[in-house]
Every structure is written in C-alpha cells, then in structure tokens.
Amino acid sequence: MQYQFSGPTILTFLKLCATTLAVNLVVSSEYGNKTSPIMYGLMFEDINHSGDGGLYAELIRNRAFQGSGNTTNPTLAAYRAVGDAVISIDTTNPLSPALKNVMKVTPISSDATQVGFLNEGFWGINVKDQEYTGSFYVKGQYNGAFIVSLKSNLTSKVYAQKKVRSASKPDVWTKHEFVLHPEAAPNVNNTLQITFNANGSEEGLWFSMISLFPPTYHGRKNGLRKDLAENLEKFKPTFLRFPGGNNLQGDEPPYHWKWNETIGPLIDRPGRPGTWGYENTDGLGLVEYMEWCDDMNLEPILDVWAGYYLSGPTIPQEELEFYIQDVLNELEFLMGSIDTPYGSLRAQLGHPKPWVINYVEVGNEDDVGGGASYSAYRFPMFRDAIKVAYPHMTIIGSTPKIDPIPDGAWLDYHRYTRPDDFVSLFGMFDNWNRSHPVFVGEYAYIQPNKPGGGGPEWGGAWRSPYTTLIGMISEAVFAIGMERNADLVRAAAYAPILQNLNSYQWSPDLISFTADPEETALSISYYLQKLFSTHHGTTVLPVTSDVKFGPLYWSASSTDDGGYYLKIANYNGTTTTVTFEVPDDNVIKGKLTTLSAPSPFSENSPKNETSIWTEKDVIKGADGKFAFDLPDLTVAVLAVK
Ligand SMILES: *[C@@H]1O[C@H](CO)[C@@H](O)[C@H](O)[C@H]1NC(C)=O
Ligand SMILES: *[C@@H]1O[C@H](CO)[C@@H](O)[C@H](O)[C@H]1NC(C)=O
Ligand SMILES: *[C@@H]1O[C@H](CO)[C@@H](O)[C@H](O)[C@H]1NC(C)=O
Ligand SMILES: *[C@@H]1O[C@H](CO)[C@@H](O)[C@H](O)[C@H]1NC(C)=O
Ligand SMILES: *[C@@H]1O[C@H](CO)[C@@H](O)[C@H](O)[C@H]1NC(C)=O
Ligand SMILES: *[C@@H]1O[C@H](CO)[C@@H](O)[C@H](O)[C@H]1NC(C)=O
Ligand SMILES: *[C@@H]1O[C@H](CO)[C@@H](O)[C@H](O)[C@H]1NC(C)=O
Ligand SMILES: *[C@@H]1O[C@H](CO)[C@@H](O)[C@H](O)[C@H]1NC(C)=O
Ligand SMILES: CC(=O)N[C@H]1CO[C@H](CO)[C@@H](O)[C@@H]1O
Ligand SMILES: CC(=O)N[C@H]1CO[C@H](CO)[C@@H](O)[C@@H]1O
C-alpha cells in the first residue's frame, strides 16, 4: 500500500447536527491531518491449530510423527491400526535427516488379510465431491498393492477407494501418490485408511509423510484451506504480519522459528515445537506465506527473530551477528536476484521473480519479557544491519518502549483487554508522542467488564469464548481513536485470526472453525474488521462538536472521488439521532451500514450465528442533511457520495 497524501486542499465542510437526544458535530476545514486512514490487516501465527489443522490445507494430523511439543517425543496421535496389525514408532529408520521418526506397521499373522492404519485427521476429515491428492512414503519388501480409502468413522461406508501398486523396496523410501474423488459424506467423522496384504509383507512396512490435500485456495500445491482463506479475503485485509507472535520467539533454545527449515520439499522440513503446545510441521512455511500474500494481495510485514526465547534465554551481544546474518540471508532469499546464492535457491523453488519486502518487524513484544537488551543492542543491531542492506525498508520495533528510537522506525503497540478499558483508551493516540508511527499489531477484546474497571487478567483467568457485542463495540471505539490519528497509527490488526474449536489455547478469535466448513463461525468482531477495512477514506477530517466524546465516538474521512465516510459508535448511550451534512450539493446519496445485536453479550458461535450486518439507503433530506438514528451498542458507517 502507499501513503498518498491526497484529497482536496480545502477540506470539505461536513456537519452533524442534532434533534432531541442528538449530537451536533461540525467538520472544520481549519486544520486537519491529510493522511491515509490506517490499513486493516492480518496478524498470523500458528496458534490454536490456526496453521496446522487450520489454514494450512493438509488433512492428515501428525503426518510425519514430529512429536508433541518436542521432536524427541514422537507420538502416534490421530492413528489407529487397521486389521490384525500393530503400529509403533520407529526412530531408527529416518525418512530424511529432517524427519527421524516413522511408523512401523507389523502384521500379526501372515493370513492374506488387509492390514494397515487409519488417520482421523484434525478431528475429522471433510469429504466432499471433489478431487483429493495424496501421497505417502513407504519402505520394506512388498510386491502387492495398497488400498487407500476415505471411510466413515461411524459406519462401514467407503466414500472413495483406490488401488496403488506398490513400488516399495527394502532399503529405500519410495513415495507413492494417489488421487481420490469421493462422493460427499454427510459429516466430517471420516478417516483416511491405507492397507496392504499381510501375506507378502510379514516383516512389516514403514510409513511416513502421509499427506492428503483437498483443492486449495488459488489451486496452490501445499496451499491454504479454501473456505477459510476466502473468509479472510472477504474482509479485504491489506497486510499480513507473519510468522508471529510468540510462536516466532520459541519457548527455549534452539526452537525459534527458522526460515530455512520451512522451505523446500516437505521431507526436508523438521518442524519444531511451537509455543502453543503442539508441534508445528512448518508445511505452511516462508514460501507459502509469500504465496498467500501474492494471492490475497497483502503487503508482507515480515517478523524476524530478535535473539530472545520466551523462557528467558537471550543471545549475548557478541553472539548476535550470526542471527543478524541469518536475517540478511532470509531477505536475500526473498528479494535477491537469481545471481545471489539465496536468490538462486528461491528460483530453484519455483519463484525466480523476487518478492518485495517493505516492512520488517524485529522480534515480538520485547516489552513483555525481552528486557533491557532489546534497546541496548538487539534492536539497534538488527535494525542497522537491515537498513544498510535495504535502505528503503521500514523497520518496526516490537514495543513502544525503545530508547533511543532510530529515525523512521515504527513502534508496535498491542492491547488485549476489557470493553471499558478499550473505551478509556479512545483518546490515547491523541496524546501520543508523534515522533514515530505506530503499528497496532494486535488488539482484541478478551474479557468482560469487571466492577471498578481495569485491564485484563492473565494466567488462566476466564476468557470470553467468542467476541460479544459489547466487546466489539469497544474495539470499534478504540479503532475510531486510531483512525482519528491516522497520521500516527499506520496499520492495525485484530489478533488472533483463527481458532480450531477442537484444540485451542486463546480466545476469542476472529474466525472459529472445525474440520467441517459448515461449522465455521465468523465472529462479531470479524464484521467490524470487514466494515472498517472496506470503508476507507484517504484523508482524515477533523470534527468539532458541542458535545464531548462519550457515549458517542466518531471520525470522518474523505475519499479521492468526492465521497465521505462517517464512522460512529454508541457505547452505553441511548438511541441518538445523528445528522450529517456536506456542503457539496452533488452529494445526495448515502448508504448506512450498521452492526448490532440483541444483547450486550450476544455472540456468534458455530451453533448460533446471527447476521449483525444491515444496510440501508439514506437520502439527503430537503434540509440538506443525512439523518439516521444510532441505537445503543451500535457501530455505523455512513458513506455518502
Ligand atoms: C525433549 O524431550 C527430551 C527427552 O524427553 C528432553 O531431554 C528435552 O529437554 C526436551 N526438549 C524440549 C524442548 O522440551
Ligand atoms: C500367501 O501367498 C502365497 C503366494 O504369494 C501363497 O502361496 C500362500 O498360499 C499365501 N498364504 C496364505 C495364508 O494365504
Ligand atoms: C464426529 O467428529 C466430531 C469432530 O471431531 C466429534 O466432535 C464427534 O464426537 C464425532 N462423533 C462421533 C459419534 O464420533
Ligand atoms: C472416530 O472413532 C473413534 C472411536 O471409535 C473416536 O475415538 C474418535 O474420536 C472418532 N473420530 C472422529 C473424527 O469421528
Ligand atoms: C539455516 O541457516 C543457519 C544459519 O545460517 C545455518 O546454520 C543452518 O545450517 C541452516 N539450515 C539449513 C537446514 O539449511
Ligand atoms: C518523543 O520521542 C522522541 C524520540 O524518542 C524524543 O526525542 C522526544 O523527546 C519525545 N517528545 C516528547 C514530547 O516526549
Ligand atoms: C457499560 O455497560 C456495561 C453493562 O452492559 C457495564 O459493565 C459497563 O461498566 C458500562 N461502561 C460504561 C463506561 O458505562
Ligand atoms: C443466539 O444468539 C442470539 C443473538 O446473539 C441470542 O439472543 C440467543 O439467545 C442465542 N441463542 C442460543 C440458543 O444461544
Ligand atoms: C487449551 C488447548 O486446547 N490446548 C490444546 C492445544 O493443542 C494441543 C495439541 O493439539 C492440545 O494438546 C492442547 O490440549
Ligand atoms: C483533528 C486532528 O486529528 N488533528 C491532529 C493532527 O495532527 C496533529 C499533530 O500532527 C495533532 O496535534 C492534531 O490533534
């Protein structure tokens, strides 16, 4: 995205006036901040199976036995033996240097019966009338055929079945590929089953990297789950911050996110213990993130590891150079010409054309645990080295508390809190030190109000499972506070974006889902992100008023083509008539979009999703004004043209 300082030189006069229970607001042309309103984007890391078992379309859970939070503790989770056979982990027959653990399937007798294993997927497998592409690696003497099926887990129903001729040999791993085109199953209680004839394979066979993909977003190989990606696309985000988050940082040495272990063939990716209690496959790796940016037209905000693990260990200054060089290698991989060593590696992986990275964030939340070393040497060393190599880049500090702050750096501010607290922060950016732009990298309502007010409680405190109406309205008030200061706050992202309801650690989230696309719930906050990101002005207009902010909060902006937006939220007020006046006689049509729900605690869940989005036309009255009523706990955007 570009920050174009555009719009009329003399700001158009807007006016909001009142009847009973009304506000009278006037937009002045005397002063104003000509700046693009903030970008609304995505913050992503693998949390709550948002990547593996979520946006990453792989359907097989534990496909390469990478462990449970620890690669040295492999498990058979999600697998069961089929027929008269025993399944076990074998750590002495690595599939590759990266993937050391494999599964052995040993027949109990040599009767000519089918034996093998099944996988239950990420709490089920969505089986639809479409093409699935799969593969598995196998080792061991076997001359027969494998029978690959998509089956019900509840009945004996088989939705698709294929015979795959064995090419398996005793001493090497052989990849087998297959395509299944099933009839649709009525639910996700399904498994992928692979069997073989026990007669002729008495020694047993070894398996690993068992993989199955449905059609993906933009048809990418190793790509994204289509329905979830399309839901993200629909709210028109402008950027993607990745790969985290706490999950970038890693709990302890040496398990931070390492870019060069997330690229290339899947069997070369070791995976790592993520920070959210499960092993990451890194199937959704650096190249896949960039393809996601390409396909969704997102500006990448690349987060790089800054030398600090969440459990405390910090890289000393004299050892940091190695990690800085690693970031420069990563940037060369992404941006270098094909004549450079890492640029040529990228070309080998199918991307000769360099990508463009304009934003790099150094670390994550270094104000939470990173300590004094962040300001003292970690941030400046990373920042200076990147700026020397790439002067055009904007470098983002992972905290607002860096001292000193280099020229041009952006600062990342995060807030997870209660509704009243968000509302109390409405004016925060009005009084912020304007020397450096702010990136609100993560914000979300997480807990209800408590008597006496105050911020969130951590450490196992009760969390809202889903966003509530009052939570969303408070996010809207906070976001309006950001928009009024769009010269300062350049970008903002709700976080986290995705949650697998069968296994999660953080709530609420923007979108909740299971293996069954029918159960996806777009949260109430999803609609706020959509409303604000699809109603973008280019110039923020100052508004004066005869009432103070609260319980109504508003901001106004103009567009390049002569239109105006008014964003306004009502937090704990009464129904108020708002009138809106523009001096431009040609502006006669308006569209009012409102978000509201029956109770402050209304929420969207898979079992109960209500439409909170309503639209209606508003025509300029004979008095030259647009008028509408704004009930309590409602956020509205009036777009006029
Ligand atoms: C992984 O497990 C091994 C063996 O139990 C243990 O020695 C090691 O410390 C663990 N590593 C992590 C990162 O938990
Ligand atoms: C196993 O297969 C061989 C031929 O490959 C056959 O001669 C034998 O009878 C089979 N054994 C059983 C128990 O089916
Ligand atoms: C079907 O799968 C869903 C999702 O994993 C699970 O919650 C449910 O218990 C399963 N039903 C049965 C009868 O196994
Ligand atoms: C499949 O069935 C097993 C038991 O028969 C159950 O434990 C498991 O949760 C089921 N999984 C799904 C996805 O239905
Ligand atoms: C990744 O990069 C690091 C740092 O440059 C290097 O030590 C490591 O060997 C690389 N790993 C792979 C798998 O290439
Ligand atoms: C704002 O921040 C800059 C950079 O840290 C600092 O130099 C300046 O003194 C601050 N201004 C105020 C008014 O605090
Ligand atoms: C708003 O109303 C809620 C109850 O719906 C209450 O918990 C909260 O404290 C009120 N906040 C303010 C600022 O009025
Ligand atoms: C469904 O949601 C609506 C609106 O959020 C709420 O009023 C209603 O009580 C909910 N119903 C159930 C069964 O939870
Ligand atoms: C709180 C929670 O659901 N945690 C789960 C996160 O995912 C891991 C791995 O699937 C589960 O073991 C945890 O229970
Ligand atoms: C109306 C408005 O938001 N004005 C702000 C424009 O930016 C200056 C600082 O550059 C602030 O002081 C104003 O409050």
Side-chain angles (χ1 to χ4, degrees):
M1 65 247 90
Q2 284 151 350
Y3 298 110
Q4 281 167 351
F5 294 135
S6 52
T9 28
I10 303 294
L11 295 178
T12 312
F13 185 76
L14 291 115
K15 197 173 172 196
L16 290 160
C17 53
T19 58
T20 45
L21 287 175
V23 289
N24 184 40
L25 308 171
V26 180
V27 175
S28 160
S29 59
E30 294 303 311
Y31 57 89
N33 294 314
K34 291 187 184 178
T35 175
S36 313
I38 52 178
M39 316 183 278
Y40 290 91
L42 302 171
M43 183 283 172
F44 183 85
E45 68 176 357
D46 206 322
I47 179 173
N48 303 335
H49 289 279
S50 57
D52 288 331
L55 193 60
Y56 181 47
E58 174 65 81
L59 291 168
I60 303 303
R61 178 155 59 106
N62 196 17
R63 67 183 179 188
F65 313 98
Q66 285 153 301
S68 172
N70 185 338
T71 32
T72 58
N73 292 330
T75 89
L76 288 167
Y79 289 90
R80 278 184 283 144
V82 171
D84 220 359
V86 172
I87 58 172
S88 58
I89 294 282
D90 183 345
T91 56
T92 63
N93 261 304
L95 169 60
S96 65
L99 298 176
K100 299 199 166 62
N101 315 313
V102 306
M103 175 171 64
K104 185 170 186 197
V105 183
T106 315
I108 290 169
S109 77
S110 60
D111 289 352
T113 54
Q114 288 291 310
V115 296
F117 62 90
L118 60 76
N119 183 288
E120 291 180 7
F122 288 93
W123 306 279
I125 295 177
N126 183 37
V127 173
K128 287 278 131 57
D129 175 8
Q130 59 187 6
E131 205 161 87
Y132 293 74
T133 50
S135 58
F136 57 93
Y137 285 78
V138 61
K139 183 172 155 179
Q141 183 60 49
Y142 179 53
N143 293 326
F146 296 98
I147 299 178
V148 179
S149 348
L150 278 168
K151 293 189 58 179
S152 172
N153 191 40
L154 306 176
T155 70
S156 58
K157 178 81 185 164
V158 175
Y159 297 104
Q161 194 164 82
K162 267 272 166 72
K163 255 191 187 168
V164 180
R165 236 212 118 66
S166 171
S168 187
K169 296 179 200 67
D171 299 319
V172 290
W173 285 93
T174 312
K175 186 177 186 182
H176 291 69
E177 293 178 297
F178 60 90
V179 172
L180 294 173
H181 194 134
E183 59 179 287
N187 53 48
V188 298
N189 298 81
N190 306 306
T191 65
L192 177 77
Q193 180 174 302
I194 299 180
T195 60
F196 51 93
N197 196 331
N199 181 6
S201 61
E202 289 80 1
E203 299 296 306
L205 298 176
W206 289 262
F207 290 86
S208 191
M209 190 49 86
I210 300 120
S211 175
L212 184 70
F213 275 81
T216 59
Y217 179 64
H218 282 240
R220 293 271 187 193
K221 198 162 187 284
N222 196 41
L224 305 184
R225 183 172 140 176
K226 208 160 174 277
D227 60 308
L228 291 179
E230 283 168 358
N231 277 323
L232 294 176
E233 184 182 75
K234 269 183 219 149
F235 90 72
K236 297 219 166 29
T238 50
F239 66 84
L240 175 67
R241 173 178 164 230
F242 69 92
N246 288 149
N247 203 18
L248 165 82
Q249 295 173 277
D251 282 341
E252 57 189 68
Y255 296 119
H256 61 280
W257 187 87
K258 300 190 185 94
W259 72 273
N260 62 353
E261 295 185 355
T262 74
I263 59 171
L266 296 180
I267 62 166
D268 293 343
R269 304 186 195 187
R272 57 179 274 267
T275 57
W276 298 105
Y278 58 96
E279 190 72 16
N280 291 185
T281 67
D282 288 330
L284 176 52
L286 181 57
V287 168
E288 289 77 19
Y289 282 120
M290 294 309 298
E291 291 173 343
W292 174 5
C293 289
D294 287 347
D295 292 345
M296 222 176 267
N297 196 19
L298 302 170
E299 175 82 41
I301 298 183
L302 178 71
D303 233 308
V304 299
W305 191 67
Y308 166 73
Y309 293 99
L310 288 164
S311 61
T314 305
I315 304 297
Q317 183 164 5
E318 59 279 12
E319 290 170 27
L320 200 60
E321 195 49 46
F322 175 82
Y323 300 94
I324 292 171
Q325 187 54 49
D326 190 53
V327 168
L328 296 176
N329 295 347
E330 180 179 7
L331 292 172
E332 182 180 289
F333 174 79
L334 292 167
M335 304 177 70
S337 83
I338 58 171
D339 306 327
T340 61
Y342 290 103
S344 115
L345 177 59
R346 181 195 65 240
Q348 282 166 40
L349 299 180
H351 287 277
K353 192 169 164 246
W355 282 294
V356 178
I357 302 291
N358 293 313
Y359 300 88
V360 169
E361 178 158 357
V362 177
N364 173 65
E365 292 180 353
D366 275 277
D367 47 340
V368 175
S373 63
Y374 191 69
S375 279
Y377 64 89
R378 291 190 294 118
F379 179 72
M381 284 175 74
F382 277 100
R383 184 260 172 200
D384 293 352
I386 297 168
K387 278 303 249 192
V388 166
Y390 303 97
H392 78 278
M393 269 188 205
T394 295
I395 311 297
I396 305 173
S398 73
T399 153
K401 298 175 193 154
I402 308 173
D403 184 26
I405 314 168
D407 281 351
W410 289 17
L411 303 174
D412 191 351
Y413 173 86
H414 295 179
R415 192 76 181 185
Y416 294 101
T417 193
R418 303 172 190 273
D420 280 357
D421 191 46
F422 260 139
V423 172
S424 76
L425 297 174
F426 171 76
M428 178 174 70
F429 291 116
D430 296 344
N431 303 311
W432 196 274
N433 183 331
R434 300 189 109 74
S435 68
H436 291 83
V438 173
F439 172 34
V440 179
E442 304 178 19
Y443 74 101
Y445 151 80
I446 59 167
Q447 282 163 344
N449 286 321
K450 65 170 182 192
E457 272 169 82
W458 303 103
W462 189 83
R463 291 284 194 86
S464 287
Y466 303 99
T467 300
T468 58
L469 175 67
I470 190 169
M472 178 276 274
I473 298 294
S474 74
E475 290 163 2
V477 171
F478 184 67
I480 289 170
M482 292 194 273
E483 285 222 357
R484 280 171 26 82
N485 292 280
D487 58 318
L488 173 69
V489 182
R490 300 295 174 81
Y494 181 98
I497 54 175
L498 290 162
Q499 167 194 38
N500 188 322
L501 288 166
N502 284 300
S503 180
Y504 63 91
Q505 296 190 306
W506 184 287
S507 69
D509 299 73
L510 205 57
I511 299 176
S512 304
F513 64 90
T514 69
D516 185 354
E518 298 297 315
E519 289 189 339
T520 298
L522 304 176
S523 72
I524 286 184
S525 292
Y526 173 92
Y527 291 100
L528 174 67
Q529 295 297 315
K530 180 174 175 181
L531 179 67
F532 278 18
S533 85
T534 54
H535 293 81
H536 248 269
T538 46
T539 301
V540 173
L541 304 173
V543 180
T544 56
S545 161
D546 58 352
V547 297
K548 289 187 173 144
F549 288 119
L552 298 195
Y553 302 87
W554 59 84
S555 74
S557 59
S558 61
T559 64
D560 286 343
D561 56 357
Y564 302 87
Y565 290 124
L566 172 71
K567 292 180 174 147
I568 184 162
N570 187 340
Y571 183 81
N572 284 4
T574 47
T575 299
T576 306
T577 300
V578 176
T579 54
F580 181 60
E581 186 181 338
V582 296
D584 185 342
D585 289 343
N586 298 322
V587 173
I588 51 166
K589 281 188 182 165
K591 192 185 77 182
L592 182 73
T593 308
T594 54
L595 307 182
S596 201
S599 114
F601 310 107
S602 291
E603 59 189 25
N604 276 353
S605 69
K607 303 273 179 287
N608 187 17
E609 190 169 346
T610 50
S611 172
I612 67 161
W613 180 290
T614 56
E615 289 178 15
K616 70 170 186 179
D617 291 334
V618 179
I619 306 294
K620 187 147 83 175
D623 60 356
K625 297 169 183 171
F626 296 92
F628 61 94
D629 285 341
L630 190 72
D632 184 25
L633 296 184
T634 301
V635 56
V637 172
L638 179 63
V640 301
K641 228 182 134 180

